[in-house]
Amino acid sequence: MSEPITHDSAHENPATSPEASGGHRPLSDQRSADAEMARVLHTTPIRMALDSSGAGIAHWQHEPLHDVVQPMSHHVIMAYNGSVQRMERRSGQSVAKGTFRRGVVIIIPEGSSSRWDIPKPVDVVQLYLPHATLRRVADEATTGTPTDLLERTAHPDPITSRLLLSAAGALEGHGALDTLFRHQLIDLLAMRVLAAHTSAPTTLQPAIGGLSPKVLARAIERLRSDSDTDVSLDALASDADLSRSHFCRAFKESTGLSPHGWLRQYRLEQAMNMLRDTDTSIAMVAAELGYASQTAFAAAFRRLTGEAPSDWRRRVG
């Protein structure tokens, strides 16, 4: 049985406290999260997907760490996916000792700095969350929502952990699908950390019902577009005159699927029609449907059907 997580209670502090942050630097002096992680981890991520704002998701596997993580211009939320191990984190005069295992999260608030001593290799999925994104999602919740994230060290939170770890293998090598998935997940995780990791609990607004038939039809027309710009979550929400998170909830209420789930199902149906009704090569099917490679398409097809495209074509042909 693994050891229980132990904490000095002084470490669960808002990012604004000197004890939690070890001091803050002006934003102009802070590195982006991806740049600081590359510096301190001395490696490159297995996979990383970033927006122009720096918001994104990265999967890292790195060696033991004994170094200071300098202040970053994004909040960093991590889900641990490696072997169970004890570790230590120092922020200013405070020391937090904990146990890394699946189901725990780590939060480094924007602008904070701490020293990490982790004795074994690490497998971790990280969310880079700009404060502007957190503020936007907070504004969509009830009024007075705090955005002062708490510093967390090996903190039990299986919901956030499971959501973030799901991103590690979910990107499919398809621009529109991957962008929709990432934007939905970032907003969902932002809502989750607001609810569970701020100085006061947050209650989100209830679901607002489905989309009107006219708005739903316009959204589906966008999703069927061949343009990645047309199917962005921002464009879909703007058309409906809703926030991104409200649009996602309303779309799912209307269709039973998230926008990403609907588009993935639509692309699968297109692929099946092409494989069954034409002699188009699998490589050309992948290219016409917008996948980065035949390998990426085959992996996505197998995840949804349990079969390789070639095996499926032989079976139904």
Side-chain angles (χ1 to χ4, degrees), residues 35-45 60-67:
E36 175 59 10
M37 286 298 162
R39 181 198 69 81
V40 77
L41 301 180
H42 304 290
T43 188
T44 56
W60 298 84
Q61 290 179 344
H62 62 85
E63 295 303 307
L65 177 62
H66 301 279
D67 204 345

Side-chain angles (χ1 to χ4, degrees), residues 8-9 82 85 88 100 104 110-111 114-115 140 169 187 217 228 265 267:
D8 179 332
S9 61
Q85 61 172 311
E88 184 175 285
F100 278 176
V104 305
E110 172 194 84
S114 50
R115 176 182 173 85
E140 296 165 7
D187 282 9
D228 286 0
Q265 184 65 33
R267 296 297 190 203

Side-chain angles (χ1 to χ4, degrees), residues 64-65 93 122 148 190 222 232 270 298:
L65 177 62
Q93 299 301 311
V122 172
D148 51 335
R222 269 197 180 275
S232 73
Q270 286 183 298

Side-chain angles (χ1 to χ4, degrees), residues 235-298:
L236 289 161
S238 178
D239 270 357
D241 197 27
L242 294 171
S243 68
R244 284 176 20 170
S245 59
H246 285 179
F247 172 79
C248 287
R249 279 182 274 174
F251 186 91
K252 188 169 185 178
E253 182 75 16
S254 295
T255 67
L257 295 168
S258 68
H260 169 261
W262 192 96
L263 182 58
R264 186 172 63 169
Q265 184 65 33
Y266 174 65
R267 296 297 190 203
L268 174 64
E269 291 170 0
Q270 286 183 298
M272 287 177 166
N273 290 338
M274 293 175 72
L275 291 170
R276 182 184 60 241
D277 301 334
T278 75
D279 294 326
T280 305
S281 69
I282 293 172
M284 283 300 298
V285 171
E288 288 189 32
L289 293 181
Y291 285 89
S293 67
Q294 179 177 340
T295 301
F297 166 66

Side-chain angles (χ1 to χ4, degrees), residues 93-104:
Q93 299 301 311
S94 299
V95 180
K97 297 182 179 181
T99 301
F100 278 176
R101 58 164 67 87
R102 280 185 71 98
V104 305

Side-chain angles (χ1 to χ4, degrees), residues 147-169:
T147 57
D148 51 335
L149 291 191
L150 299 172
E151 187 175 83
R152 298 295 204 192
T153 305
H155 184 86
D157 183 351
I159 295 174
T160 302
S161 174
R162 185 167 59 251
L163 283 171
L164 192 45
L165 291 178
S166 74

